[in-house]
Amino acid sequence: MIILDTCVIRGMKLDSGDAYLLRAIRETGTDRVAVPWMVLEERAAQLAIEYGKAHEKAAQALRQLQKASPLDVPALDDPDPEAVREDLRGRLRELVEVLPTSEEALREGMFREANSLPPAGLKKEIKTGARDVAIWLSAVEYARDHPEEKVYFVSGNTRDFTDGSTTYPAPMDQDVEGLGDRFVHLTSLADLLQLIAPSVEVTPEQVQKLAPSYTGFIRGAALARWGSPRVGLGARFPAVRRMTGLAHHAQGWLTTGDSLRVKAVDVTDVRGSRLGDHEWFTATVQWQFIGVAIFPKALGAGCSLWTTRILMPLVEDGPDPIILSADPPQAPASVEGIEWPADLPGPNERSRELRHLLESITPSTKLERAAALFAYSARGVLDENHEATRRFMEEERYQKIAMDGQADAAAEAAAAEGWNTDDGDDFWDA
C-alpha cells in the first residue's frame, strides 16, 4: 500500500504525468494508492481557503470598478467554498483510495499536540501538529492491521516526520516498533515512482505501431460515449462532412463493426514504466474516426477526432487499455490529409446499414429503437433514403408502429432515453 501525505498531493497537479502514473499503478493492480481521510480534508481546506482569499480580492476589485464606472458592472456570485472542497474530493478519489482516520488517531493527535510530542510540536511558540499525528498514525495503523502488506509512506515533511533514515524520536519510535522493513518511509514522489514504476524507454513510433491492435477497444469506447445509434441517436459531436468539406454537428454513426475506421493520427507525451511484471506506457493519442455519420437531414461520410490520455500495455493484443482522461471530440481543422475510404456505403446501401443495426439490437430494445428510428425518419433526417427506410420497416414487421402509434411510441422512446422532443429540426438534440 502506498500512502501519501498532504504535501505530496499539494505539490502535484492532479492531471500531471506523475498523477497519471500513480493512477496507472492503481489501475494495473501493481499496488494500491491511498491518502488518509485527514489528508483529503486538509488539502480540500487549503484550496477552499485559497479560493476564499482570491474571491475577496476579486470582490474588492469589483467594488472599485463599480465606483469608477458609469456603466453597469455585473455582480460577483457569493463564494461557495464547499463546491471547491467537493471538487477536490471528487478529483482526488479518482486517483487514490481514502483510508479512514480512526477516532484513536484523532484523539492521540490532540493529546500529542497539547503535549508537544512528535510528530506534533511547537512552531513559533504555538502548539500544532494534531493533523500530522493523525496522518502518521493512519499509515502506521494500516501497516499493523495488514501484516501481509508492505506500506510505503511518502512525505516531504521532514521537519515533523523526519526523513526516516535514522531512529524516530519518541513516541514515533514506539509507533513503528516491530514493523521492520514492512514500513518504508520515502521523502519524495520521485523516489517512490522510481522504486515502484521504474522508467522504460518508449517512443511515439512504437505507440503508432501498437495502436492498430487496440482500435477495436477505442472504437467501442468512443461510440459508447458520444455517438452510436445503438445508444439512442442522441449524442452530438462535431465532424467534417465529405460532401461539403465543412464541420457539422453529427448525431451518431450509422456504421457498425469494423466499418467505422479508427486510427491513431498523433501521439505525444509518451512515458513508459514497468508496472509489476509488465511494461506499460501512458500517452496522449489523437484518434481519427471515419464512417457514415448522421447529419441533420442527411447521411454522409464524416470524419471526427478524439484525443485521449491513455494507459496501454507495451505489447500487441495485450490487456485492454485504460482511458485516463479524454477531451470532447472535435472536427478536423481541414479536410486535407483525410483519406476517405472508397468503400463507404452509398445512398442505396444505407437501408442495409439500418438492417445490420437493428439486427444487432437485443429483442428487449427493438420496439423502442424502431419507434425512434421511424420518428427520426419522419422528421426528415433520413429524407434522401426515406422510401427505403419505410420498406425496411415493413419488412421487419414494424408497420404497426408506423400506422397505429408512431408519434406516441416515438415520444415514449424519447422519454425513456431522456431525449428532447421540442426542438424542431433538432429533434435529437438531447
Side-chain angles (χ1 to χ4, degrees):
M1 169 67 85
I2 297 166
I3 301 177
L4 307 177
D5 186 20
T6 310
C7 60
V8 176
I9 300 301
R10 183 169 189 167
M12 175 183 64
K13 291 183 178 180
L14 298 186
D15 59 353
S16 66
D18 285 349
Y20 283 130
L21 187 51
L22 281 175
R23 185 171 170 187
I25 291 171
R26 179 184 176 184
E27 296 278 5
T28 58
T30 302
D31 211 332
R32 294 167 65 191
V33 185
V35 297
W37 170 87
M38 190 69 258
V39 167
L40 175 71
E41 291 305 316
E42 185 172 38
R43 183 59 186 140
Q46 290 170 350
L47 286 176
I49 291 170
E50 292 172 11
Y51 160 80
K53 292 178 180 178
H55 189 282
E56 179 55 31
K57 288 182 180 179
Q60 290 176 359
L62 193 58
R63 287 193 292 268
Q64 292 176 351
L65 180 60
Q66 288 169 338
K67 291 178 180 179
S69 175
L71 305 176
D72 290 337
V73 177
L76 184 66
D77 290 339
D78 292 336
D80 189 357
E82 182 57 26
V84 175
R85 288 188 285 264
E86 277 299 311
D87 177 73
L88 183 279
R89 291 170 185 142
R91 290 188 293 126
L92 195 53
R93 287 180 185 276
E94 292 179 359
L95 180 66
V96 299
E97 301 175 43
V98 178
L99 300 179
T101 299
S102 69
E103 180 180 348
E104 291 78 5
L106 294 171
R107 286 179 177 274
E108 182 68 12
M110 298 304 295
F111 175 82
R112 292 194 191 184
E113 180 181 289
N115 291 274
S116 297
L117 297 174
L122 290 173
K123 292 181 181 178
K124 297 181 180 180
E125 302 304 317
I126 298 175
K127 294 178 180 179
T128 184
R131 282 169 285 134
D132 290 331
V133 176
I135 292 167
W136 165 259
L137 290 180
S138 294
V140 171
E141 287 175 355
Y142 184 90
R144 292 201 178 281
D145 293 342
H146 299 82
E148 74 285 357
E149 293 187 46
K150 176 176 284 192
V151 172
Y152 298 91
F153 177 65
V154 186
S155 174
N157 181 4
T158 57
R159 172 174 175 169
D160 296 316
F161 295 125
T162 79
D163 62 6
S165 62
T166 58
T167 302
Y168 292 107
M172 292 175 68
D173 57 345
Q174 299 171 29
D175 296 333
V176 298
E177 186 177 0
L179 294 180
D181 60 3
R182 288 199 307 105
F183 190 86
V184 180
H185 184 165
L186 301 170
T187 58
S188 74
L189 186 58
D191 290 343
L192 170 78
L193 295 179
Q194 188 56 39
L195 182 65
I196 301 297
S199 298
V200 174
E201 184 176 354
V202 184
T203 65
E205 290 73 23
Q206 286 177 281
V207 178
Q208 287 280 10
K209 289 182 180 179
L210 289 171
S213 65
Y214 296 101
T215 53
F217 171 85
I218 296 299
R219 180 187 298 110
L223 292 179
R225 288 172 180 238
W226 50 260
S228 170
R230 297 169 187 265
V231 295
L233 292 168
R236 284 191 165 203
F237 58 93
V240 163
R241 187 176 175 191
R242 179 170 60 177
M243 179 179 292
T244 65
L246 301 174
H248 302 268
H249 275 102
Q251 295 167 301
W253 293 106
L254 196 63
T255 311
T256 55
D258 295 338
S259 57
L260 178 60
R261 275 71 166 185
V262 181
K263 72 174 182 178
V265 294
D266 188 45
V267 177
T268 57
D269 196 16
V270 182
R271 181 173 180 174
S273 302
R274 175 170 290 279
L275 302 174
D277 297 329
H278 303 284
E279 294 179 346
W280 292 72
F281 65 87
T282 56
T284 299
V285 183
Q286 186 176 73
W287 306 90
Q288 181 192 76
F289 293 79
I290 298 178
V292 177
I294 302 172
F295 294 105
K297 299 187 178 181
L299 300 178
C303 177
S304 188
L305 302 173
W306 192 37
T307 300
T308 62
R309 183 68 183 170
I310 195 165
L311 171 67
M312 293 177 65
L314 196 58
V315 61
E316 290 186 1
D317 301 316
D320 282 346
I322 298 169
I323 297 175
L324 301 173
S325 64
D327 295 338
Q330 63 184 56
S334 170
V335 296
E336 295 182 10
I338 299 177
E339 299 178 2
W340 298 103
D343 58 344
L344 282 178
N348 294 332
E349 300 177 61
R350 289 167 187 160
S351 62
R352 295 181 215 170
E353 289 285 337
L354 287 170
R355 180 188 299 276
H356 189 182
L357 174 65
L358 285 186
E359 285 176 349
S360 69
I361 295 173
T362 60
S364 64
T365 61
K366 275 190 175 183
L367 185 64
E368 63 184 51
R369 294 297 190 271
L373 280 171
F374 188 93
Y376 197 42
S377 171
R379 292 299 293 264
V381 182
L382 303 180
D383 282 349
E384 57 189 86
N385 202 28
H386 179 78
E387 184 60 26
T389 304
R390 187 189 62 79
R391 290 198 303 270
F392 172 71
M393 292 294 194
E394 291 175 351
E395 293 171 3
E396 293 298 316
R397 298 183 182 181
Y398 294 126
Q399 186 178 28
K400 181 174 175 51
I401 296 174
M403 296 177 62
D404 294 343
Q406 54 184 271
D408 290 341
E412 292 175 6
E417 297 292 341
W419 293 330
N420 177 10
T421 59
D422 298 320
D423 278 351
D425 288 340
D426 293 331
F427 180 73
W428 301 103
D429 189 11

